[in-house]
Amino acid sequence: MLFLSIALMYACRKDEIKPEEAKITFAIPSNFPAPAYNFEDNQLTNAGFALGKKLFYDARLSADKSVSCGSCHQQFAAFANLDHKVSHGVNNCQGKRNAPPLFNLAWQKAFFWDGGVKNIETSPLNAITDACEMGTDIEAIIAFLKSTAPYPDLFKQAFGSTDINSQRILKSITQFTAVLVSGNSKYDRVMRKESGATFTSDELAGYNLFKEKCSSCHTEPFFTDFSYRSNGLDLVSADEGRSHITGVNADFGTFRVPTLRNIEYTGPYMHDGRFYSLDEVLEHYNSGVKASANLDSKLKNGIPLNASEKEQIKAFLKTLTDNEFIKNTLYNES
């Protein structure tokens, strides 16, 4: 069952995007709550989506024309950065945090590992201006777009005039990123009691273990409660986490609880990408949790797991893979 209803075709040339008339719609999976972002002030259109997608994949927007949003957010990795511990930006600069996956953003009220941005529409500004990401500024991008075909025509199609400004750039990117909905994994089909959808015995055992040991932080259906916690890492990267935003000592070393959806494809894991496998992640919780002043109280004794339990939890976690989302050609660079 498709819950993201997009009927859209593109022309073959990269410099020419011609959406067909079939209308893009944003639909909520039946096992999801209402989103925080609803396009009320950013009308979703085929032309707006197509423009946002083109901007998302255009490396010419970066300072050295080498990096796009899509460089660190790759569709085949559920819009995370496969096998990269941290983001790689202009001039081969390496950041200090792992690039998180991009999907179900319309349900988020804060963004990034530290929650430093509260609005989905302004979130791209962080990557645009960061010296280790795109290394530029919005005014430089506006000047480039105004002088580069077919952008003036694309903005006219999307917004009714050739005027290009920061608000239109950010709204169009949001029309692309906010419709990246992942809600059709095996888990979802089982929860919706769709015909033929059942867990295997290992998956069911893993689900029960997950609910017992993990769900207080990785809450269904998003598999995150969107909170910020210290999960017992040794913080070798010296990243202070959320306290950089809040200035509160109790937030030192805390980071947003990440979603576990599509986790099979979003490694490496943790805010600094230190773990390359789910086995390493599970062993961290089993034996590697480090005591600290801000350690989450639920982890003071770790999460004891034997070998069989680890395999069962992994079997369940793989039911959170949404292949329909990952392979949806509407999201491809074209």
Side-chain angles (χ1 to χ4, degrees):
M1 185 182 299
L2 264 175
F3 287 87
L4 179 61
S5 301
I6 303 179
L8 187 62
M9 297 298 293
Y10 298 106
C12 294
R13 289 174 50 194
K14 280 192 175 185
D15 63 348
E16 183 179 7
I17 296 177
K18 293 183 178 179
E20 299 292 341
E21 292 304 316
K23 183 176 174 56
I24 290 179
T25 59
F26 173 76
I28 303 169
S30 62
N31 56 315
F32 280 23
Y37 186 84
N38 59 16
F39 297 95
E40 182 178 348
D41 297 316
N42 184 17
Q43 183 181 358
L44 181 59
T45 65
N46 288 21
F49 176 90
L51 172 59
K53 175 181 169 181
K54 184 171 177 65
L55 292 168
F56 183 88
Y57 284 115
D58 196 337
R60 296 175 298 174
L61 304 187
S62 65
D64 65 358
K65 305 186 187 307
S66 68
V67 175
S68 71
C69 301
S71 300
C72 289
H73 299 286
Q74 303 159 317
Q75 183 181 358
F76 55 78
F79 291 95
N81 200 183
L82 183 67
D83 287 340
H84 285 254
K85 293 178 64 176
V86 295
S87 58
H88 288 198
V90 294
N91 301 313
N92 201 33
C93 184
Q94 295 191 23
K96 65 180 181 180
R97 292 179 180 168
N98 179 258
L102 300 184
F103 53 79
N104 299 339
L105 301 181
W107 284 268
Q108 287 186 215
K109 296 181 180 179
F111 301 86
F112 307 119
W113 283 102
D114 55 21
V117 174
K118 304 297 185 185
N119 188 321
I120 187 175
E121 291 185 10
T122 59
S123 60
L125 289 173
N126 183 75
I128 287 170
T129 59
D130 190 282
C132 262
E133 294 191 44
M134 297 180 76
T136 185
D137 61 74
I138 196 68
E139 293 304 321
I141 289 176
I142 290 170
F144 168 77
L145 297 175
K146 284 183 175 180
S147 63
T148 304
Y151 277 113
D153 287 340
L154 297 179
F155 275 87
K156 183 174 183 179
Q157 292 173 33
F159 297 105
S161 77
T162 58
D163 184 37
I164 299 175
N165 56 42
S166 60
Q167 183 183 60
R168 288 182 169 185
I169 291 170
L170 296 172
K171 282 186 177 295
S172 61
I173 293 174
T174 301
Q175 288 197 38
F176 176 66
T177 58
V179 300
L180 298 177
V181 175
S182 181
N184 201 32
S185 65
K186 181 177 184 178
Y187 159 84
D188 294 300
R189 295 191 295 274
V190 172
M191 292 301 106
R192 295 192 292 256
K193 296 180 171 56
E194 294 182 14
S195 177
T198 58
F199 288 138
T200 66
S201 59
D202 279 346
E203 290 167 353
L204 181 58
Y207 182 39
N208 289 328
L209 283 167
F210 175 86
K211 288 188 289 185
E212 175 190 348
K213 297 176 180 288
C214 313
S215 63
S216 59
C217 298
H218 295 284
T219 309
E220 300 172 67
F222 299 110
F223 291 87
T224 172
D225 64 357
F226 302 107
S227 66
Y228 305 88
R229 302 175 187 255
S230 170
N231 66 343
L233 298 175
D234 55 18
L235 301 181
V236 292
S237 66
D239 187 338
E240 62 187 275
R242 184 157 171 74
S243 64
H244 176 72
I245 301 299
T246 66
V248 176
N249 287 337
D251 288 332
F252 181 84
T254 66
F255 298 88
R256 191 186 69 201
V257 175
T259 179
L260 301 183
R261 284 181 172 272
N262 297 305
I263 195 169
E264 184 178 5
Y265 291 111
T266 58
Y269 307 106
M270 305 299 178
H271 70 278
D272 55 6
R274 68 177 66 192
F275 297 139
Y276 275 84
S277 71
L278 292 176
D279 293 299
E280 290 178 281
V281 172
L282 292 174
E283 186 54 34
H284 164 73
Y285 289 111
N286 178 55
S287 67
V289 172
K290 305 291 193 300
S292 69
N294 293 336
L295 177 65
D296 190 273
S297 60
K298 296 180 177 64
L299 293 175
K300 63 181 180 179
N301 297 315
I303 303 176
L305 296 166
N306 62 39
S308 176
E309 289 172 330
K310 290 177 187 176
E311 290 304 312
Q312 289 169 338
I313 288 177
K314 282 195 300 179
F316 168 68
L317 291 176
K318 291 180 180 181
T319 72
L320 302 180
T321 298
D322 184 352
N323 287 305
E324 181 180 90
F325 169 74
I326 291 171
K327 297 177 181 179
N328 193 329
T329 58
L330 293 173
Y331 307 142
N332 291 348
E333 182 177 9
S334 56

